[in-house]
Amino acid sequence: MALITPRRRFLITAPLALLLPAGLLTYLGLQTVGLVENRHIETIQNEVNKIVQGVRNRTRDQLQHQILTPFRTAFVNHLDELLPTPPEEAYTFTVRDAMPYAKLVFVYGKSGRIYFFEKEQNPDAVSSVWRLSGLPRESLGSRLISAFEAENDTFSIYENPQRIKDFSPVIYPDNLMVQEPQRELAFYMMSGKETLEEPTRQPDWIKAAGFTIDFNYLNTVFFDRIIQQMWQIEGDLRYPILIEDRVTGKSVADVNLMGEPNFKPSSKYTPRPFSDVYFPWYYVNFSAGTGEDIMKVAENEKMVYYCLIAAANVCLVAAVFGALRNIAKELALSDMRSNFVARVSHELRTPLGLIRLFAETMEMDRILDEAKKKEYLHAITKESERLSHLINNILNFSQMESHKKQYNFRWTPIEDVIYDTVDAMHYHFQRHDMNVDLDLSTDLPKIHCDREAIEQALYNILSNAVKYSGDGMSIDVRAYTVNRSVVIEVADQGIGISPEFQKKIFQEFFRVNDPRVQETGGSGLGLAVVKHIVEGHGGKISVKSNPDEGSTFMIQIPIDPQHLDS
Ligand code: ADP
């Protein structure tokens, strides 16, 4: 029942109240970091997609401008000159275009026969000579013928999205994915198709005309030109790429960063096909640096988030620790306060008991011996002095706590203060059979101080020296001047104080956890009051002590604290 006190409950719930939001914050933070990463990965994916799409679009565009339109202009539009009638054996004609992209040209006659022409020579850069081929090329021929016939029946520009302007493609063999060296990509155009810009002049006997692509041209010139243009002129490529022909397994074109001769393939981004019906054999390879810049941004962004999370957590943990420490301090203080009441009551009772005993004995006139009477009266005086010191400590402390303590500064000869205090405690020393050696420097000045307060401080130190030394020990009191200060040292040969407690003893209510201390009466206020008084005079208090060897308390008080202040 009493186990879960409100204080304990607070101790448990306060850290939880702070740690739960810390955990939540961390969780949400890490989720956000994950989102940041995903966003950047998505950006890179988009970038990669854009590259593939860009290459594909550019290839289509260049196919039209570099290959199909020139073919149409140079060949199809001049069929009436080049092939006015169905050709005879070994027939040749010259086209006013080098046509580097074409391996074979063909015409399909209304008779149902297909004629293939091979390039015989390129007499110059602007023309080419073509000779009727002797090879039957039956399978390619029949594949083409079936395409012409099918188109004749069903062709509609809207139904044939693969068509580029007037040309239709034929891929041979049919299976696009086949990876064999025997491949053909042919483009043909049905006869009689006119465009406004270029009226065609075609003889009646021709039904269709076209050509097959020279892959050597594609692989050495065409793609290279495309991606160099995209890289250097258009700036369409953000990262270096390499185009690979999957049939030959060779790189057909690549671009690189300046000063990097070899293309370094990416391990992250696998090669992607063009996904274009005309070029199923070609793949885009990505370079090692692909997306690195974006990743770097992501890394930086992540770093910022991690730092923020860490900072927030450090703050929260610091807050938890701070709160716990304060709570622990408060608890310890409140424990000490409750002990204090018990201790002080005890401290008050002892002198009061003695005073009462002596007074009652005297009241009963039992003591006839004058000397004894005097001794009793003296004891009463001394015990009431002790009482008043104790009460002074308590009052001083309560004034210190409420910041109401005022000092009454006067110029006072310090040796008088020391003599008077030691003298006032004479009875004390005598009772414990203690010897006090005074060693006061002869040039001790007057100091500007509150006499009563300094006496109280000295009394507290001296009475500790008595309390924490055994009977018969001696106490040394020294006083001397250093610079503009007076130092008073009180050295005893008592139980001493271990180093870990030497700072703590100046805290209010603190008493060393040693049976020899605990069995001696005390409030735990004495040194706290001394410290306050000394500091109130602009001075310092310190202690040097070794357990079981004794302690030396030193107070250093400036001669004129107000003068020092200004
Ligand atoms: P108290 O009323 O307990 O003496 P003080 O504030 O005067 O309170 O002293 C705090 C604690 O410091 C004491 O409880 C004791 O443990 C230690 N102390 C003070 N003076 C001495 C000394 N001269 N020798 C050994 N221990 C001392």
Side-chain angles (χ1 to χ4, degrees):
M1 304 137 272
L3 278 178
I4 305 259
T5 60
R7 249 188 255 138
R8 284 216 176 118
R9 199 175 306 138
F10 181 69
L11 265 181
I12 297 165
T13 49
L16 274 185
L18 285 164
L19 287 174
L20 283 179
L24 194 66
L25 188 86
T26 310
Y27 174 75
L28 290 178
L30 292 177
Q31 292 293 82
T32 314
V33 174
L35 289 184
V36 168
E37 184 146 31
N38 288 349
R39 184 156 48 81
H40 285 89
I41 289 173
E42 215 170 276
T43 311
I44 299 174
Q45 281 301 345
N46 287 342
E47 204 58 46
V48 163
N49 290 346
K50 236 165 68 188
I51 289 175
V52 177
Q53 212 168 11
V55 172
R56 190 172 60 213
N57 292 347
R58 179 60 62 102
T59 307
R60 278 228 169 175
D61 186 57
Q62 291 304 300
L63 174 70
Q64 183 71 55
H65 289 103
Q66 302 290 322
I67 298 179
L68 297 180
T69 305
F71 176 75
R72 182 193 166 101
T73 312
F75 183 74
V76 180
N77 287 356
H78 297 283
L79 279 175
D80 58 345
E81 292 161 25
L82 303 172
L83 289 158
T85 53
E88 304 277 315
E89 202 179 327
Y91 179 78
T92 60
F93 58 83
T94 304
V95 179
R96 260 183 267 116
D97 187 341
M99 295 210 292
Y101 47 81
K103 193 168 84 184
L104 299 169
V105 294
F106 53 81
V107 287
Y108 178 54
K110 283 187 176 149
S111 62
R113 185 176 161 192
I114 184 162
Y115 301 87
F116 288 102
F117 295 86
E118 286 166 17
K119 200 184 274 174
E120 191 156 74
Q121 52 173 292
N122 278 22
D124 48 53
V126 291
S127 57
S128 50
V129 177
W130 298 83
R131 173 185 293 275
L132 185 66
S133 168
L135 292 174
R137 292 197 168 80
E138 266 161 22
S139 44
L140 174 62
S142 59
R143 170 72 188 88
L144 286 170
I145 289 167
S146 66
F148 304 147
E149 296 303 333
E151 172 144 349
N152 218 14
D153 294 344
T154 61
F155 172 71
S156 148
I157 194 160
Y158 303 107
E159 286 165 9
N160 191 350
Q162 292 173 18
R163 203 180 154 93
I164 298 188
K165 276 207 172 160
D166 307 306
F167 286 91
S168 302
V170 167
I171 287 173
Y172 171 82
D174 259 338
N175 185 350
L176 295 188
M177 288 307 122
V178 125
Q179 295 194 355
E180 58 178 71
Q182 278 311 284
R183 57 176 162 172
E184 301 288 356
L185 170 60
F187 290 95
Y188 69 88
M189 179 175 174
M190 299 307 286
S191 166
K193 298 226 181 291
E194 309 227 354
T195 57
L196 281 175
E197 331 70 269
E198 291 182 77
T200 54
R201 289 183 291 141
Q202 292 158 9
D204 273 354
W205 71 273
I206 293 178
K207 209 170 171 187
F211 66 99
T212 64
I213 282 281
D214 183 345
F215 282 97
N216 194 38
Y217 169 78
L218 285 193
N219 289 359
T220 53
V221 181
F222 183 70
F223 282 121
D224 192 53
R225 201 182 286 159
I226 285 174
I227 68 166
Q228 293 302 342
Q229 212 171 16
M230 286 179 79
W231 179 247
Q232 284 166 10
I233 302 168
E234 320 281 336
D236 285 352
L237 290 177
R238 193 166 165 172
Y239 309 106
I241 57 165
L242 176 147
I243 292 184
E244 173 198 0
D245 179 356
R246 280 279 164 113
V247 173
T248 61
K250 281 192 185 130
S251 143
V252 298
D254 64 42
V255 279
N256 262 315
L257 291 173
M258 298 269 283
E260 277 185 25
N262 292 321
F263 182 88
K264 287 189 207 109
S266 161
S267 53
K268 260 198 216 152
Y269 304 102
T270 48
R272 297 263 296 272
F274 271 32
S275 306
D276 189 304
V277 282
Y278 301 130
F279 305 103
W281 312 279
Y282 292 97
Y283 278 67
V284 176
N285 287 255
F286 299 94
S287 72
T290 302
E292 246 172 27
D293 51 345
I294 296 174
M295 259 355 242
K296 214 167 256 166
V297 172
E299 286 302 318
N300 290 345
E301 222 170 286
K302 263 162 68 180
M303 211 57 214
V304 170
Y305 278 108
Y306 282 138
C307 288
L308 284 177
I309 295 169
N313 274 309
V314 166
C315 289
L316 273 169
V317 169
V320 172
F321 275 110
L324 283 180
R325 252 181 62 159
N326 283 344
I327 293 165
K329 247 192 199 164
E330 276 304 313
L331 288 180
L333 210 61
S334 96
D335 274 358
M336 286 199 269
R337 263 177 225 269
S338 53
N339 284 346
F340 166 76
V341 173
R343 266 191 255 134
V344 163
S345 318
H346 179 77
E347 284 288 287
L348 289 171
R349 207 176 288 138
T350 319
L352 268 179
L354 279 174
I355 291 171
R356 197 167 159 184
L357 179 77
F358 288 134
E360 277 176 1
T361 317
M362 288 179 68
E363 206 180 28
M364 283 189 255
D365 283 338
R366 285 220 194 112
I367 301 147
L368 301 171
D369 181 355
E370 272 310 307
K372 202 86 184 154
K373 247 188 209 168
K374 232 182 178 162
E375 191 188 320
Y376 276 25
L377 281 174
H378 194 65
I380 290 174
T381 318
K382 290 299 156 191
E383 284 307 314
S384 36
E385 258 173 26
R386 203 172 123 193
L387 211 51
S388 72
H389 274 292
L390 179 62
I391 290 166
N392 273 351
N393 270 344
I394 297 170
L395 285 179
N396 269 330
F397 174 70
S398 104
Q399 284 172 337
M400 274 157 42
E401 267 214 320
S402 53
H403 304 284
K404 283 189 191 141
K405 179 73 191 161
Q406 298 270 329
Y407 295 107
N408 188 10
F409 286 91
R410 294 241 156 85
W411 285 103
T412 316
I414 189 67
E415 72 249 57
D416 288 1
V417 179
I418 300 171
Y419 278 130
D420 285 357
T421 315
V422 172
D423 192 44
M425 295 185 74
H426 177 71
Y427 171 74
H428 239 33
F429 300 132
Q430 212 177 33
R431 234 180 50 191
H432 293 277
D433 196 16
M434 290 181 112
N435 181 38
V436 179
D437 282 335
L438 279 177
D439 175 8
L440 308 190
S441 149
T442 47
D443 60 348
L444 285 177
K446 281 187 175 176
I447 67 168
H448 203 219
C449 67
D450 180 326
R451 178 175 191 139
E452 234 175 81
I454 299 291
E455 273 180 3
Q456 175 81 29
L458 205 53
Y459 176 90
N460 285 355
I461 293 176
L462 283 168
S463 78
N464 277 350
V466 175
K467 275 198 295 186
Y468 304 113
S469 304
D471 286 1
M473 299 285 191
S474 61
I475 298 172
D476 291 318
V477 179
R478 279 184 294 274
Y480 49 90
T481 329
V482 172
N483 298 329
R484 299 274 305 148
S485 299
V486 165
V487 178
I488 306 169
E489 286 183 11
V490 176
D492 63 46
Q493 302 164 328
I495 60 175
I497 304 155
S498 76
E500 61 188 297
F501 300 126
Q502 288 180 8
K503 276 221 169 83
K504 288 191 172 168
I505 53 171
F506 298 104
Q507 290 171 7
E508 60 266 34
F509 307 123
F510 183 84
R511 307 197 76 212
V512 173
N513 193 12
D514 176 325
R516 290 172 297 178
V517 172
Q518 300 297 329
E519 67 200 20
T520 320
S523 60
L525 285 185
L527 289 179
V529 170
V530 175
K531 184 167 189 268
H532 194 269
I533 292 172
V534 172
E535 286 174 357
H537 281 74
K540 277 185 290 190
I541 178 156
S542 57
V543 65
K544 277 187 198 147
S545 179
N546 283 320
D548 300 320
E549 286 176 17
S551 319
T552 303
F553 283 84
M554 268 169 290
I555 54 180
Q556 183 176 354
I557 304 169
I559 291 169
D560 182 1
Q562 276 157 0
H563 175 74
L564 279 189
D565 273 354
S566 55

